[in-house]
């Protein structure tokens, strides 16, 4: 669609997969779409990364569109280096919370970046988590009591390579506890879910046993204590 660098691509399909409408959003450089969610007011929020606008090499971009894909607002967040989003949720209180990764801010060369926005896309607050080496986000979840659980990765806190990382915060993003899981080599987080019993299942892949990578799944309790781990591959 006339942009060789790449734009966000929004498709609306019917239940048979037939195209209803399509839209593109972006500037002269590269945009990469990451996630779309439906909002409580019947619209959609898209998150992605942009190199067309913003303060740095790559920035987090949040786009709100209506049911037909028409633009309502678009906001960009980040600093002078590379900042990318991983996951967005709309909380019970109607606030958007984005989990991302930043190379512009924080304690290390790459840190976890949590960003809270109001319904108009205005920043409410932000938080950074990490140490001197790399930390990053994969997925965010709001718990029943409105606390947050973030699944990501860390090269810090005793990790010999990249490990799974689970971070629990209160509603304001203040850390309550964090846990690290993994072997002597590289673990890459992909997804996590909460079970009906309130435990968490963390999933990704690992090179700690097989250098070509196995699927790697860990179950932990509500306090992050490991119940079991399995490898498949």
């Amino acid at each position: 669609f006339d942009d060789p660098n790449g734009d966000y691509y929004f498709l609306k399909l019917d239940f048979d997969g037939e195209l209803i409408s399509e839209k593109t959003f972006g500037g002269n450089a590269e945009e990469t779409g990451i996630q779309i969610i439906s909002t409580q007011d019947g619209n959609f929020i898209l998150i992605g990364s942009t190199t067309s606008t913003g303060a740095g090499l790559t920035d987090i971009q949040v786009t709100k569109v209506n049911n037909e894909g028409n633009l309502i607002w678009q906001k960009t967040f980040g600093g002078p280096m590379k900042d990318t989003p991983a996951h967005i949720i709309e909380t019970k209180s109607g606030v958007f919370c984005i989990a991302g990764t930043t190379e512009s801010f924080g304690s290390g060369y790459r840190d976890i970046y949590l960003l809270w926005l109001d319904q108009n896309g205005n920043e409410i607050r932000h938080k950074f988590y990490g140490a001197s080496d790399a930390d990053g986000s994969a997925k965010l979840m709001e718990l029943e009591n409105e606390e947050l659980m973030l699944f990501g990765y860390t090269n810090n806190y005793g990790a010999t390579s990249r490990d799974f990382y689970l971070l629990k915060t209160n509603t304001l993003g203040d850390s309550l506890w964090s846990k690290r899981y993994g072997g002597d080599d590289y673990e890459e987080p992909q997804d996590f879910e909460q079970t009906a019993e309130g435990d968490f299942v963390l999933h990704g892949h690992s090179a700690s046993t097989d250098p070509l990578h196995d699927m790697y799944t860990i179950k932990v309790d509500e306090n992050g204590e490991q119940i079991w781990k399995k490898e498949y591959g």
Side-chain angles (χ1 to χ4, degrees), residues 19 23 40 50 77 85 119 126 134 137 148 158 195 202 211 217:
L19 181 67
K23 302 279 186 176
Q40 296 172 16
T50 179
F77 306 91
Q119 284 289 324
H126 60 257
S137 300
L148 299 175
T195 70
L202 320 178
T217 305

Side-chain angles (χ1 to χ4, degrees), residues 144-166:
E144 203 57 43
N145 60 3
E146 300 187 13
E147 294 174 342
L148 299 175
M149 191 74 84
L150 182 140
F151 182 42
Y153 65 84
T154 184
N155 286 74
N156 293 297
Y157 316 115
T160 56
S161 184
R162 178 179 292 190
D163 282 344
F164 285 0
Y165 187 61
L166 200 59

Side-chain angles (χ1 to χ4, degrees), residues 141-217:
M141 182 185 300
E142 184 182 29
L143 304 180
E144 203 57 43
N145 60 3
E146 300 187 13
E147 294 174 342
L148 299 175
M149 191 74 84
L150 182 140
F151 182 42
Y153 65 84
T154 184
N155 286 74
N156 293 297
Y157 316 115
T160 56
S161 184
R162 178 179 292 190
D163 282 344
F164 285 0
Y165 187 61
L166 200 59
L167 170 68
K168 187 176 185 181
T169 79
N170 64 16
T171 57
L172 298 177
D174 300 318
S175 178
L176 300 175
W177 55 256
S178 61
K179 303 280 186 177
R180 176 181 60 83
Y181 316 90
D184 292 333
D185 213 314
Y186 179 96
E187 277 76 39
E188 176 71 28
Q190 300 292 339
D191 199 3
F192 84 131
E193 294 293 340
Q194 190 172 27
T195 70
E197 298 80 21
D199 300 325
F200 297 91
V201 178
L202 320 178
H203 182 68
H205 62 195
S206 172
S208 291
T209 301
D210 180 351
L212 299 179
H213 291 196
D214 283 337
M215 290 188 290
Y216 188 55
T217 305

Side-chain angles (χ1 to χ4, degrees), residues 31-232:
E31 278 75 38
T32 302
I34 301 295
Q35 187 195 3
I36 180 172
I37 62 169
S38 57
T39 59
Q40 296 172 16
D41 61 6
N43 296 302
F44 295 99
I45 288 283
L46 325 174
I47 60 167
S49 59
T50 179
T51 60
S52 297
T53 60
L57 299 176
T58 303
D59 287 298
I60 295 170
Q61 195 160 64
V62 188
T63 305
K64 188 171 186 180
V65 300
N66 66 14
N67 197 42
E68 300 304 318
N70 298 314
L71 183 67
I72 298 174
W73 52 254
Q74 187 173 71
K75 304 281 185 170
T76 305
F77 306 91
M81 302 302 289
K82 185 176 181 180
D83 305 287
T84 55
H87 196 250
I88 184 170
I89 60 172
E90 185 176 12
T91 68
K92 297 180 181 72
S93 62
V95 170
F96 298 112
C97 190
I98 300 167
T101 303
T102 179
E103 295 180 3
S104 298
F105 313 109
S107 302
Y109 83 90
R110 186 181 300 147
D111 284 315
I112 292 168
Y113 184 14
L114 280 190
L115 179 64
W116 287 260
L117 308 179
D118 65 19
Q119 284 289 324
N120 296 312
N122 300 310
E123 182 176 332
I124 298 171
R125 62 183 172 275
H126 60 257
K127 297 274 188 176
F128 309 115
Y129 312 87
S132 59
D133 212 321
D135 303 276
S137 300
K139 186 176 179 180
L140 183 66
M141 182 185 300
E142 184 182 29
L143 304 180
E144 203 57 43
N145 60 3
E146 300 187 13
E147 294 174 342
L148 299 175
M149 191 74 84
L150 182 140
F151 182 42
Y153 65 84
T154 184
N155 286 74
N156 293 297
Y157 316 115
T160 56
S161 184
R162 178 179 292 190
D163 282 344
F164 285 0
Y165 187 61
L166 200 59
L167 170 68
K168 187 176 185 181
T169 79
N170 64 16
T171 57
L172 298 177
D174 300 318
S175 178
L176 300 175
W177 55 256
S178 61
K179 303 280 186 177
R180 176 181 60 83
Y181 316 90
D184 292 333
D185 213 314
Y186 179 96
E187 277 76 39
E188 176 71 28
Q190 300 292 339
D191 199 3
F192 84 131
E193 294 293 340
Q194 190 172 27
T195 70
E197 298 80 21
D199 300 325
F200 297 91
V201 178
L202 320 178
H203 182 68
H205 62 195
S206 172
S208 291
T209 301
D210 180 351
L212 299 179
H213 291 196
D214 283 337
M215 290 188 290
Y216 188 55
T217 305
I218 299 175
K219 187 176 184 180
V220 302
D221 67 18
E222 61 182 3
N223 298 310
E225 298 301 323
Q226 182 174 300
I227 298 171
W228 53 253
K229 67 177 179 180
K230 303 284 185 179
E231 292 189 38
Y232 310 91

